[in-house]
Each structure stands twice: as structure tokens, then as C-alpha cells.
Amino acid sequence: PTVPSCSSPTCKAPNALRGCGLGGTTNINGCFWSEPLKSDFDGWCIPGWSGDEMAHYLSRARFQLRVSQPGAQQTLSRAFLDLLRSSGVPTAEDLNQEGDMSRIRAPLVANSDGKRLTSFDAYVSPVLHLRRNLTVRTGVVVEGIQYNSAVGADQNIIASLVVYVFEGLRHVAVVTRELVLSCGVYESP
């Protein structure tokens, strides 16, 4: 649905589409694939998050999401790019490579046999019934995460409890190993 991204009368934020379902906005967008450049990660200067260190995870994601040229559009896209090249417009085979970003390329998409592949379809659905330690709840509003006062050996703060509201009732979930909190861009605290 299209919803205001801000409810204040003085807010000038535009209306935006959002996906309210398992897989979030991957339910409503074209599932286009674009990834950060190596220099984007390197610019963060965070240990363990360099471009070289993240390349493996991006490669796994491309495989898991079945990133490819859309089948029906491949011939049309190729013809369009050929037309652009013949007119002198710079094109690129892969925008995920370092270099000049002022080029045009055909889109890559996440799909399975020509059907939209949401993040839920790619990552959660295949293991949902195989993992006893995985609980998926929709319609949940997380009120807060409580942390242990001690830090782990790697100096990270460790989540211990999640407080959330589900079907009008407040719940507390104890974190025993790890917490994966998946939330959207809009209305997330």
C-alpha cells in the first residue's frame, strides 16, 4: 500500500510504497539486484566488513537469490543496449564493478523460473519447517531489546531479551543464542 512515511502535518516526506508481509518490500518491487561497490564497504572502515571480506557473502546472496537477467527481457534489453552503444551512450555489463557509475545496463533481478523471488522465499521458506529454533511472527511490534551488561569476547554487546507486542499482548522472548531482528525501513524505531 501507499502510505505517508510521516504523519506530522508539517512533514514534507513523500508517500512511499512499502511491503507489509513476509519478505517486506521484495513483495512489491521488481526484485532488482544492485549491490554495494567494494569501495562502499571499505569506506565504512569497520573491521570484518571490508569489500574483500564481504565479497563472499554477496556471492552467496547472488546464488541464493538466483540473480540473473530477466528471461523475457533479455532479448529486448540486449537490443536496447546495442542501440544506446551505437548512439554513443556508455553502457556496462556489470554495474557492480568499480569504476565510472555513469553507465547504463540492463537490470538484474532475483527470480526463480521467471517468478519474483522475495527475500522470505529465498532465505526463510526453505528452512522454516526444518529448524526448531526458528520462529517467524508477523504483525509484531518490537518495543525494545534488552542487553546484558557484560560484553562478549569480541567486545560486542549481547542481546538478552526482546520485548514485543503480538495480538495486543506484551511478550518477552529470551535470547539464548542469537537474535535476528528483521524490520522494515518505515515505522521502525
Side-chain angles (χ1 to χ4, degrees):
T2 301
V3 296
S5 54
C6 167
S7 58
S8 166
T10 60
C11 181
K12 297 186 188 320
N15 286 344
L17 292 175
R18 67 179 184 168
C20 296
L22 296 173
T25 307
T26 61
N27 285 299
I28 62 170
N29 68 19
C31 290
F32 291 111
W33 174 263
S34 180
E35 63 189 49
L37 298 173
K38 178 182 178 293
S39 57
D40 292 336
F41 288 112
D42 293 342
W44 292 351
C45 301
I46 301 173
W49 285 76
S50 72
D52 288 335
E53 292 164 303
M54 295 306 296
H56 170 72
Y57 297 103
L58 290 169
S59 177
R60 284 178 52 191
R62 280 191 299 274
F63 174 77
Q64 189 77 21
L65 291 168
R66 300 176 187 99
V67 173
S68 64
Q69 179 80 227
Q73 296 177 7
Q74 194 166 18
T75 303
L76 182 60
S77 294
R78 189 67 48 207
F80 181 67
L81 288 174
D82 288 344
L83 175 66
L84 290 173
R85 277 189 208 101
S86 70
S87 300
V89 176
T91 61
E93 289 300 314
D94 185 358
L95 287 182
N96 297 319
Q97 298 297 316
E98 295 291 330
D100 183 6
M101 295 301 290
S102 64
R103 298 175 181 266
I104 297 173
R105 74 164 312 280
L108 293 176
V109 296
N111 69 40
S112 176
D113 299 323
K115 297 179 184 172
R116 176 189 316 259
L117 185 67
T118 69
S119 57
F120 181 81
D121 296 331
Y123 291 103
V124 181
S125 188
V127 298
L128 187 58
H129 300 292
L130 301 175
R131 299 199 41 195
R132 293 176 32 206
N133 65 339
L134 176 62
T135 301
V136 175
R137 288 211 170 136
T138 60
V140 169
V141 175
V142 174
E143 290 188 336
I145 300 171
Q146 294 182 9
Y147 302 92
N148 287 336
S149 57
V151 295
D154 55 3
Q155 299 299 307
N156 289 326
I157 298 172
I158 300 171
S160 57
L161 299 173
V162 178
V163 181
Y164 65 95
V165 176
F166 178 62
E167 296 180 344
L169 299 174
R170 180 172 280 116
H171 298 267
V172 176
V174 177
V175 179
T176 57
R177 184 169 169 204
E178 64 184 350
L179 166 67
V180 177
L181 179 63
S182 178
C183 54
V185 173
Y186 303 111
E187 299 180 14
S188 293

